[in-house]
């Protein structure tokens, strides 16, 4: 039996020398880095063309990882860091779903029967949110809600911050004019309430939109500032606050977050939009809700939207309304925030990458080296199976240097960091 | 060992006398029928009040069996004959879903990730339907599509047949006037093309709706008549043909059905609406599509509707596009139609029940006895666990005597027949 003795400069595995020196490994790494940095081989170039074509078909949105995997099966997708969600919450939901639906053979009822009408689901949500159920409108994802409110309640002019989540200016009626409050990268994309209110006075929009935390930069307006803003915006016909990422934005002690939904009773011009896809990691279910004045909910329901929730969405909202699930979810939310903060800190340490301050579950990264955002996104996808989002198509971020990177679970975050270091570090 | 010898007037089971005479049994049956016919006990009366309240909350639609079961758990729901679907197709879908998604642990991707955008799903549908994918709009159920087209393309006046599926006059814009072509029960709710075209010339609607087969009576307009009608209706801005029940309507030899969807390329004013909830028995998934001129699809997509399909709906459409599934589904469709026809024939033989001619998977029944539609529906629900639909809230059927009964699987159909015989036969 030959027992190899550990050497100082050799690589070890469980205390044993693997027979390669650290220097050799370092050289190999350098070579691999060099390979990653040079031009693409023909296969890679062809793949990039196909990705770009798919991207073009998807307009100002990224093709979903689902579409990508189906249309370009050669891509071996490992990490979807384009998709903004809490993967731990997905896991928690799946556990319940298997235990309560799949195993007891209750899936059939969920798929076969008509789900409940909007009002019935709103009543359940009202109890857990401690809000008047008549002020809750349940949507087939936040996207449906955004479209519904922009088409019914917005008329002449909408004011949105830039950069922003594009449906707020894309889904408007053709006769609605969009005006922009530009958040400057020189200010770290920070929101300035005074400049904003000046702009509102000047432009007199009938609708203003505040996404908090903002997408795609993750900038956050604190609760007290928002409360003050809402007072100043009382004369604006529609104030839309999109809190789709609020579960990731903590203020003060602990990991508490504060929603403005309870202000709707006081402020009839306020609509709070909430996607469930992000914090609960269930985008495939299409579930969201909005809180607004009861007469607005009635207007929307009178226009249809009767059976817009699927059986799965109804099960999700049932689960969401349960205290046992809420307690479990709260643990996963905090766990995810902790991991995400570590991830953003590690991202910020990579040379050639500037990370803007974020209170969300993603970070906006600016590239300072020679590589463009598009090149980085494509290479990460082809060579490492990591799907990130180029911001080239985002108004206000067209410089070709911005990439949005979502936090995922710990091993995935570590893999993203390793891959980015290889490519640009 | 005592062997009982068969007696002539006694009741037998596998050749042996059960010790009761046929006369005794007949008397027992009569007593039971009498019990079924007399007034309700206090528990039943209280349940009926709760059902009526729930019904009232649901507006002109019936509460789903799902809502009913959750809100009134005392009801032991056995057969949902309110819900219009092919239960064999549901079974087929579930088999595939378990085999291809649940067991190989692919459920997570379906629930977690964003499904593909509308255009991507439309492309798949285009292949199987052999239609231009740019003329296909995918909807979160037909209900979403109906609302979308009525709001975007209908302006002043809509003409619908009566009785009808109420969203066609309920989901219109507030400034749209609805006018009606009344199908008379004296004509068996038959559609008269000449009278209809006269009405169109007189009323000059910008939109006409033809549900074929019609809901709730099941009346069918043959393909050749529809083709002729479409020619005559060329000057109407929007012609909506709802083919949600077309898979149950066979013409001529075999069980073939004929869709008008391929006429859209020729007729830019035509929109064919198709729910998948009925023929595939997957209402909980919310899946439907419409075929219309490509510029109309573009208009809708420009207004939002980007991610309106869930992961489950996308899986359904993927499955639907596969030849193996199509072949299996075709067998289940024919099996269901055969059973349904037997069921309608048995229904028609029950005294006190008039069944109108139907080409769909349901029948409109008119009560001729003392019992009202409402009473029958409530009693079937409370005493037999059978959920049917009173048509009291349907424009044109307010006489309090109409009940819509859906065909289900064979044992369920037999149970419905037995129960109806007990109650009104």
């Amino acid at each position: 039996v030959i027992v190899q003795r550990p050497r100082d400069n050799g690589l070890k595995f469980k205390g044993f020398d693997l027979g390669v020196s650290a220097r050799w490994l370092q050289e190999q790494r350098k070579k691999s880095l060099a390979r990653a940095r040079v031009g693409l081989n023909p296969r890679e170039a062809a793949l990039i063309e196909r990705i770009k074509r798919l991207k073009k078909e998807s307009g100002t949105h990224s093709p979903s990882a689902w579409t990508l995997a189906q249309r370009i099966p050669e891509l071996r997708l490992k990490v979807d860091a384009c998709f903004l969600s809490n993967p731990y919450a997905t896991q928690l939901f799946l556990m319940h779903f298997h235990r309560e639906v799949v195993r007891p053979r209750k899936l059939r009822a969920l798929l076969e029967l008509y789900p409940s009408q909007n009002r019935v689901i709103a009543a359940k949500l009202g109890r857990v949110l401690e809000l008047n159920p008549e002020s809750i409108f349940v949507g087939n994802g936040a996207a449906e809600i955004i479209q519904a409110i922009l088409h019914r309640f917005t008329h002449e002019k909408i004011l949105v911050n830039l950069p922003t989540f594009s449906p707020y200016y894309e889904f408007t009626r053709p006769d609605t004019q969009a005006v922009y409050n530009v958040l400057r990268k020189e200010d770290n994309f920070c929101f300035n309430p005074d400049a904003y209110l000046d702009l509102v006075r000047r432009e007199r929009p009938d609708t203003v939109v505040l996404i908090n935390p903002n997408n795609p930069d993750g900038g956050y307006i604190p609760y007290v500032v928002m409360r003050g803003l809402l007072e100043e915006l009382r004369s604006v016909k529609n104030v839309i606050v999109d809190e789709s990422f609020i579960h990731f934005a903590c203020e003060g002690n602990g990991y508490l977050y504060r929603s403005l939904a309870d202000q709707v009773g006081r402020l009839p011009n306020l609509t709070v939009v909430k996607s469930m896809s992000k914090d609960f990691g269930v985008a495939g279910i299409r579930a969201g809700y909005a809180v607004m004045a009861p007469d607005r909910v009635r207007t929307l329901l009178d226009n249809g939207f009767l059976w817009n929730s699927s059986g799965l969405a109804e099960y999700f909202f049932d689960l969401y309304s349960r205290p046992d699930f809420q307690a479990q979810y709260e643990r996963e939310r905090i766990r995810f925030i902790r991991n995400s903060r570590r991830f953003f800190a590690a991202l910020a340490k990579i040379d050639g990458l500037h990370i803007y301050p974020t209170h969300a579950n993603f970070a906006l990264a600016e590239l300072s080296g020679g590589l463009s955002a598009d090149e980085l996104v494509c290479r990460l996808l082809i060579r490492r199976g990591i799907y990130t989002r180029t911001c080239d198509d985002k108004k206000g971020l067209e410089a070709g240097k911005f990439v949005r990177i979502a936090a995922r679970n710990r091993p995935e975050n570590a893999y993203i960091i390793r891959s980015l270091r290889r490519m640009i570090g």
Side-chain angles (χ1 to χ4, degrees), chain A residues 26-270:
Chain A
Q26 216 171 0
E27 278 165 12
Q28 291 305 310
R29 275 203 188 127
K30 265 189 195 158
K31 280 187 194 163
S32 152
L33 280 172
R35 277 198 302 274
R37 284 203 191 95
V38 296
L40 303 156
N41 66 38
R43 190 190 138 268
E44 290 176 327
L47 273 178
I48 285 185
E49 277 318 300
R50 285 166 69 190
I51 296 167
K52 283 187 179 165
R53 217 176 308 138
L54 199 59
K55 166 84 187 151
K56 211 173 158 190
E57 284 174 28
S58 308
T60 53
H61 298 277
S62 297
S64 73
W66 188 246
T67 303
L68 208 60
Q70 284 193 319
R71 294 280 293 276
I72 313 181
E74 297 93 320
L75 290 175
R76 292 175 62 195
L77 220 64
K78 285 183 193 160
V79 180
D80 185 0
C82 175
F83 175 48
L84 311 174
S85 81
N86 175 353
Y88 301 117
T90 310
Q91 196 61 39
L92 178 67
F93 172 80
L94 273 171
M95 191 195 74
H96 282 278
F97 187 69
H98 270 284
R99 193 191 289 163
E100 296 164 15
V101 180
V102 178
R103 258 178 261 154
R105 303 186 155 270
K106 289 185 180 165
L107 198 51
R108 180 169 185 146
L110 235 68
L111 303 180
E112 183 177 28
L113 304 180
Y114 274 90
S116 297
Q117 290 184 16
N118 215 305
R119 281 246 184 261
V120 176
I121 302 175
K124 294 174 194 169
L125 270 176
R127 280 193 289 277
V128 62
L129 297 170
E130 296 177 15
L131 294 171
N132 174 7
E134 289 182 12
S135 69
I136 299 173
F137 175 72
V138 182
N140 181 42
E144 181 186 58
I145 299 171
I146 293 170
Q147 189 231 11
I149 57 182
L150 293 185
H151 275 255
R152 296 311 175 294
F153 308 125
T154 296
H155 293 283
E156 278 155 36
K157 203 189 260 189
I158 188 166
L159 172 64
V160 290
N161 291 324
L162 271 193
T164 192
F165 181 56
S166 60
Y168 280 109
Y169 56 82
E170 286 176 347
F171 289 0
T172 55
R173 306 190 331 188
D175 52 339
T176 303
Q177 186 199 349
V179 285
Y180 303 104
N181 174 48
V182 180
L183 307 174
R184 289 150 40 93
K185 80 169 197 175
E186 292 73 21
D187 306 332
N188 269 336
F189 299 107
C190 253
F191 177 84
N192 179 333
D194 294 323
Y196 187 76
L197 290 171
D198 277 349
L199 192 62
V200 171
R201 269 174 229 120
R202 228 165 35 236
E203 291 284 352
R204 301 184 160 278
D206 61 16
T207 304
V208 298
V209 180
L210 293 160
I211 308 177
N212 199 30
N214 194 33
N215 178 2
D217 57 287
Y220 178 66
I221 310 169
Y223 182 79
V224 283
V225 177
M226 282 300 286
R227 282 291 297 267
L229 264 172
L230 292 185
E231 291 304 322
E232 300 287 337
L233 293 168
R234 270 176 177 266
S235 61
V236 177
K237 203 180 139 227
N238 306 293
V239 176
I240 300 173
V241 178
D242 187 326
E243 294 189 342
S244 292
F245 298 96
I246 198 87
H247 283 205
F248 308 121
C250 317
E251 276 195 56
N253 293 328
Y255 290 88
L256 287 176
Y257 61 91
R258 299 199 67 179
S259 165
L260 289 161
D262 60 357
Q263 299 300 308
V264 168
R266 235 170 39 82
L267 302 166
N269 64 340
L270 176 63

Side-chain angles (χ1 to χ4, degrees), chain A residues 365-384:
Chain A
E366 188 178 1
L367 293 165
S368 55
L371 218 56
S372 75
D374 219 27
E375 283 168 336
L376 179 65
V377 166
C378 281
R379 283 168 195 219
L380 276 173
L381 187 55
I382 291 172
R383 296 185 180 169
R384 309 290 289 176

Side-chain angles (χ1 to χ4, degrees), chain A residues 2-49:
Chain A
I2 300 160
V3 178
Q4 291 185 308
R5 292 187 347 130
R7 271 186 293 169
D8 266 1
N9 61 344
L11 216 72
K12 293 163 201 160
F13 177 66
K14 292 186 177 173
F16 291 100
D17 193 345
L18 291 176
V20 291
S21 73
R23 179 172 297 173
W24 178 85
L25 199 80
Q26 216 171 0
E27 278 165 12
Q28 291 305 310
R29 275 203 188 127
K30 265 189 195 158
K31 280 187 194 163
S32 152
L33 280 172
R35 277 198 302 274
R37 284 203 191 95
V38 296
L40 303 156
N41 66 38
R43 190 190 138 268
E44 290 176 327
L47 273 178
I48 285 185
E49 277 318 300

